[in-house]
Amino acid sequence: MISLRELCAGIPLHPLPEHRGIDNGVPHAPIRTPQLSAQDEKLALENALRYFPPEHHSTLAPEFVKEMRCYGHIYMYRFVPNIPMRAYPISEYPCKTKKAAAIMHMIMNNLDPAVAQFPQELVTYGGNGQVFSNWAQFWLVMHYLSEMTEEQTLVMYSGHPLGLFPSHPGAPRVVITNGMVIPNYSSRKDYEKMFALGVTMYGQMTAGSYCYIGPQGIVHGTVLTVLNAGRRYLGADDLSGKVFVTSGLGGMSGAQAKAATIVGCIGVIAEVDESALVKRHKQGWLMEVTKSLDDCVQRIRKAKKDKETLSLGYHGNIVDLWQVVERLVEEYEKTGDLLVDLGSDQTSCHNPFSGGYYPVQLSFTEANKMLCSDPLTFRQLVHESLWRQVSAINKLSDKGMFFWDYGNAFLLEAQRAGADVEQKGGRGMEFRYPSYVQHIMGDIFSLGFGPFRWVCTSADPTDLEVTDHIAATAMEDIITQGVSDVVRNQYNDNIRWIKDARKHQLVMSPPLISAAISAVVGSQARILYSDQKGRISIAVSINRAVANGQVKAPVVISRDHHDVSGTDSPYRETSNIYDGSAFCADMAVQNFVGDSFRGATWVALHNGGGVGWGEVINGGFGLVLDGSPEAERNAKTMLSWDVSNGVTRRCWSGNRNAYDTIIRAMEEDRRLRVTLPYELKDRRVLDVAPPEQ
């Protein structure tokens, strides 16, 4: 084993580390099929070898070629660090600035095997959400961060550290871009080739910006989504006895099982990968597992009758599960007993042909072989499977089940497969089932609420307890000052979340708790949904707690890019923007730029994330609260912009909640002046533009 100091010394070259092969004890990414020509392979090899001096090329070249041909990418497995990969306390990193050490803490958390989906391929979640493209980049970044001063900025090009450049203390310490490809060359085929060449990568949302905090983030979002789906579709605050059927138990989708138990419903989740089921069961997220469809249906019946809280994992394909449930429609017509109340899907459909979606016609093993040996046939089977899945969902929906798209590109890919998902009379981008943003989360965003999160870099759970209390108190204080009913409801939901977090086993305590009893692994982190006022109040209070020693070490604040301002995504985050601008990416780019000169410690801009390469632009940030006056000033300035940017854009698109929210923001800060839309009082004036004959 090596030390953190050795890890920060740069790429190990003298001697080269022993090639220990791949670790069969962790999951591995599906084999990629970039379809490179012989000349392309040579270019990929040349690109990889440029990280190493010529005396090592004859040793490394054959290894790298083998990786390219066996796995579809050069990961540089020889250079997987021989160190327990986890978020170490910030004081243990050999750095010249605490900000750099905080970033190291975040990077190593993203690659922790207990957190990352495919740790040896540097994939944090989503099947292809890379932290880096190869291990040489990891070593270089850790070295640069250890050497960095407050007058330097590390520039990252799609995983590649371009280098340290002179800047100033007020500049970001790291600026990250991922996948910034010319639009005409942003197709899936282009991506597979460019990733294989090592010149770009898919950073997902928070993987490539080092801000992933483990599944806790998506647990909270899923809890809010299912609760609000029950309120909207079922008219119920109490979800006991209600059945929610979905799929996916991997990196992000695994949160669905835990969320089901928190809201008190019956969650039934199909998963084809047995290792994912076993992992979630050991973590305590999944209460029961079955391989039998008959047993699955009978278990649902009993739980529904007894109003049990249950998370049940079905080891098999979601299409089989939907079609079995569909056959019970006839019984429903006789008895009035509909087995499923709510339905969705969280397969990685943004990446359907490279392991993100498995066709029902093949076993998991057969599918993994075919996706690289016969990709064209695999693609056809995926399309057929999506068609069958939608057909079953449609029949159940017609009988009263409520289905929504979870923003994973499921309906988009189903449409491309020819499935019956289009909304009659829609405008091309509208489906018969809404995005969860349109019907469930969109109003929350328009109020300025979104996924605010923080990480205690001391790795001490007592620091997290202190910050939990600070956050709950800050929100309670805001309520006492007076807020609207709809805003108060949001605050109260999140106060309950914070106060119940430990009951739901959402943290770990050192020494590391057994995975069997811990719900969230990795860094000492927390997430909640808050608006601008709440985020600023919490950040300022935490910074002061760091200053007075109440919190022992700096705290990193960030957010999911899936937020008010962070993401332009027409089939998810901006799907409820109807003025024609849903495909425009000004908001995310301006968010990234504006955060960078308002005090963010690091900023990131990605092509892709959640719904797929070429489908979205998103921006994110990290800000280190080190107890200094500068950190407090930066938090106030940056968080104000980070929220108001998106609320203003939503206001201009005609959203009434956003209009009211930005009016209040302008009243509280007279420096804020935004362009407000005039309301169209009489829509008959639009008739002067009748349709052409």
Side-chain angles (χ1 to χ4, degrees):
M1 292 289 177
I2 64 172
S3 66
L4 284 174
R5 188 164 296 279
E6 290 172 295
L7 188 70
C8 295
I11 301 174
L13 299 172
H14 306 292
L16 291 175
E18 175 189 1
H19 196 315
R20 293 173 289 138
I22 66 171
D23 181 358
N24 292 320
V26 298
H28 289 278
I31 296 170
R32 298 180 179 276
T33 55
Q35 306 294 315
L36 298 186
S37 67
Q39 195 60 36
D40 290 335
E41 277 196 355
K42 289 183 178 180
L43 182 57
L45 178 59
E46 181 180 359
N47 288 345
L49 290 174
R50 60 187 166 178
Y51 286 102
F52 306 93
E55 61 263 29
H56 295 303
H57 289 180
S58 60
T59 300
L60 297 176
E63 291 178 13
F64 291 170
V65 168
K66 184 178 179 181
E67 287 185 20
M68 172 58 69
R69 292 176 179 172
C70 290
Y71 308 112
H73 188 73
I74 299 173
Y75 296 106
M76 306 181 185
Y77 288 112
R78 176 191 284 269
F79 295 94
V80 174
N82 188 18
I83 189 173
M85 188 69 73
R86 60 183 175 84
Y88 291 85
I90 190 174
S91 59
E92 296 183 18
Y93 291 100
C95 293
K96 297 178 179 178
T97 167
K98 287 183 179 179
K99 292 177 181 177
I103 297 168
M104 286 183 173
H105 179 95
M106 302 290 283
I107 288 172
M108 293 189 73
N109 184 66
N110 275 216
L111 292 171
D112 182 339
V115 173
Q117 185 180 14
F118 306 125
Q120 289 206 312
E121 288 77 39
L122 302 115
V123 173
T124 299
Y125 66 88
N128 59 352
Q130 304 285 148
V131 185
F132 302 106
S133 180
N134 60 56
W135 284 103
Q137 294 172 349
F138 169 84
W139 286 92
L140 282 174
V141 167
M142 297 299 280
H143 175 64
Y144 279 135
L145 289 172
S146 71
E147 294 291 313
M148 172 188 289
T149 71
E150 290 283 339
E151 294 189 346
Q152 291 173 304
T153 292
L154 176 60
V155 177
M156 299 294 302
Y157 278 16
S158 291
H160 169 67
L162 196 67
L164 288 172
F165 291 82
S167 60
H168 57 85
R173 298 281 66 81
V174 184
V175 175
I176 304 164
T177 52
N178 287 310
M180 289 293 107
V181 171
I182 305 300
N184 274 354
Y185 306 92
S186 199
S187 70
R188 279 203 186 109
K189 183 178 179 181
D190 292 323
Y191 167 71
E192 292 295 339
K193 178 178 178 179
M194 286 186 280
F195 180 64
L197 292 176
V199 295
T200 197
M201 78 175 199
Y202 188 86
Q204 265 288 349
M205 287 192 145
T206 53
S209 61
Y210 323 145
C211 288
Y212 189 58
I213 61 168
Q216 180 188 171
I218 193 64
V219 169
H220 182 42
T222 307
V223 165
L224 291 181
T225 301
V226 177
L227 277 176
N228 284 290
R231 290 166 181 162
R232 181 179 182 102
Y233 298 132
L234 307 178
D237 285 316
D238 180 4
L239 294 181
S240 58
K242 305 300 183 183
V243 179
F244 171 46
V245 172
T246 183
S247 60
L249 284 167
M252 296 288 278
S253 56
Q256 296 178 109
K258 188 64 180 176
T261 62
I262 291 174
V263 303
C265 72
I266 301 158
V268 185
I269 307 100
E271 173 57 62
V272 294
D273 183 355
E274 188 172 18
S275 66
L277 279 155
V278 170
K279 179 178 180 180
R280 297 307 180 196
H281 191 241
K282 285 182 177 179
Q283 286 177 335
W285 291 39
L286 202 56
M287 296 167 66
E288 298 177 19
V289 175
T290 181
K291 294 184 179 181
S292 165
L293 282 168
D294 289 338
D295 290 348
C296 187
V297 171
Q298 292 307 313
R299 188 67 184 92
I300 295 171
R301 285 187 184 284
K302 183 178 184 303
K304 190 172 178 68
K305 178 183 177 182
D306 298 340
K307 292 192 173 183
E308 292 181 60
T309 294
L310 174 67
S311 55
L312 174 64
Y314 166 61
H315 181 209
N317 198 288
I318 183 61
V319 179
D320 284 331
L321 181 58
W322 277 124
Q323 291 182 329
V324 166
V325 176
E326 173 200 356
R327 289 201 291 271
L328 297 175
V329 169
E330 293 181 12
E331 184 172 336
Y332 160 75
E333 292 173 341
K334 297 176 184 176
T335 67
D337 181 24
L338 184 64
L339 201 63
V340 184
D341 302 285
L342 300 170
S344 193
D345 183 280
Q346 266 202 46
T347 52
S348 296
C349 260
H350 70 280
N351 186 35
F353 311 120
S354 299
Y357 182 93
Y358 284 84
V360 67
Q361 305 93 324
L362 303 172
S363 70
F364 182 62
T365 302
E366 291 169 340
N368 278 327
K369 290 179 180 177
M370 181 179 282
L371 67 84
C372 57
S373 66
D374 190 357
L376 289 179
T377 300
F378 184 82
R379 179 183 291 259
Q380 292 169 359
L381 293 178
V382 166
H383 279 171
E384 181 184 329
S385 187
L386 283 166
W387 191 92
R388 288 169 60 180
Q389 182 173 346
V390 168
S391 178
I393 290 168
N394 287 349
K395 290 180 181 178
L396 286 161
S397 177
D398 289 343
K399 299 302 179 182
M401 179 197 73
F402 295 91
F403 185 90
W404 72 88
D405 183 277
Y406 226 129
N408 60 335
F410 171 72
L411 291 181
L412 181 62
E413 288 303 325
Q415 180 189 52
R416 290 168 175 167
D420 180 16
V421 294
E422 287 192 18
Q423 179 177 310
K424 301 298 186 286
R427 294 174 292 178
M429 62 175 285
E430 296 176 55
F431 301 111
R432 66 185 289 174
Y433 304 109
S435 158
Y436 76 121
V437 172
Q438 288 174 300
H439 274 198
I440 303 170
M441 302 299 282
D443 282 346
I444 294 176
F445 286 168
S446 297
L447 291 167
F449 281 81
F452 180 65
R453 51 177 63 162
W454 63 90
V455 176
C456 298
T457 65
S458 64
D460 187 337
T462 60
D463 273 358
L464 189 59
E465 288 184 35
V466 172
T467 57
D468 281 349
H469 178 72
I470 288 171
T473 301
M475 290 187 288
E476 288 167 345
D477 288 346
I478 291 173
I479 291 175
T480 62
Q481 295 168 22
V483 294
S484 67
D485 289 344
V486 66
V487 170
R488 182 186 300 107
N489 288 339
Q490 293 301 321
Y491 274 122
N492 283 333
D493 281 350
N494 284 280
I495 291 168
R496 277 196 299 273
W497 165 263
I498 286 289
K499 291 185 175 180
D500 289 347
R502 291 192 171 272
K503 182 179 76 176
H504 295 312
Q505 295 181 312
L506 292 171
V507 296
M508 293 182 65
S509 301
L512 298 183
I513 296 175
S514 162
I517 60 172
S518 174
V520 164
V521 293
S523 57
Q524 292 293 320
R526 182 68 72 232
I527 183 174
L528 55 80
Y529 271 53
S530 185
D531 59 0
Q532 176 179 317
K533 183 179 288 187
R535 297 185 208 203
I536 292 172
S537 179
I538 294 168
V540 168
S541 297
I542 289 176
N543 190 62
R544 292 176 182 175
V546 174
N548 65 29
Q550 190 181 3
V551 173
K552 302 178 193 68
V555 172
V556 173
I557 60 171
S558 68
R559 55 162 170 74
D560 194 342
H561 302 200
H562 168 61
D563 194 10
V564 181
S565 299
T567 299
D568 287 296
S569 179
Y571 296 104
R572 194 161 76 174
E573 284 79 4
T574 49
S575 60
N576 66 334
I577 289 179
Y578 302 111
D579 66 352
S581 69
F583 290 90
C584 300
D586 302 84
M587 179 176 70
V589 175
Q590 289 283 4
N591 182 263
F592 162 84
V593 174
D595 285 351
S596 70
F597 63 76
R598 288 181 172 89
T601 307
W602 72 96
V603 289
L605 186 68
H606 305 329
N607 170 12
V611 295
W613 178 265
E615 303 286 356
V616 52
I617 300 294
N618 58 67
F621 75 87
L623 195 158
V624 176
L625 301 175
D626 58 8
S628 67
E630 292 78 15
E632 179 171 326
R633 182 176 64 248
N634 291 342
K636 290 177 178 178
T637 305
M638 198 214 71
L639 291 173
S640 296
W641 158 254
D642 196 66
V643 176
S644 289
N645 170 42
V647 175
T648 304
R649 189 266 179 96
R650 294 167 195 279
C651 165
W652 183 246
S653 75
N655 185 286
R656 187 68 207 184
N657 280 337
Y659 184 97
D660 294 341
T661 301
I662 205 65
I663 289 290
R664 287 194 299 272
M666 286 194 288
E667 290 171 351
E668 292 171 3
D669 187 343
R670 294 297 179 183
R671 296 173 301 171
L672 176 65
R673 297 175 62 191
V674 306
T675 307
L676 297 172
Y678 288 104
E679 186 179 357
L680 189 65
K681 295 293 186 181
D682 184 355
R683 299 192 64 82
R684 288 176 297 179
V685 301
L686 300 178
D687 294 339
V688 299
E692 292 186 34
Q693 299 300 317

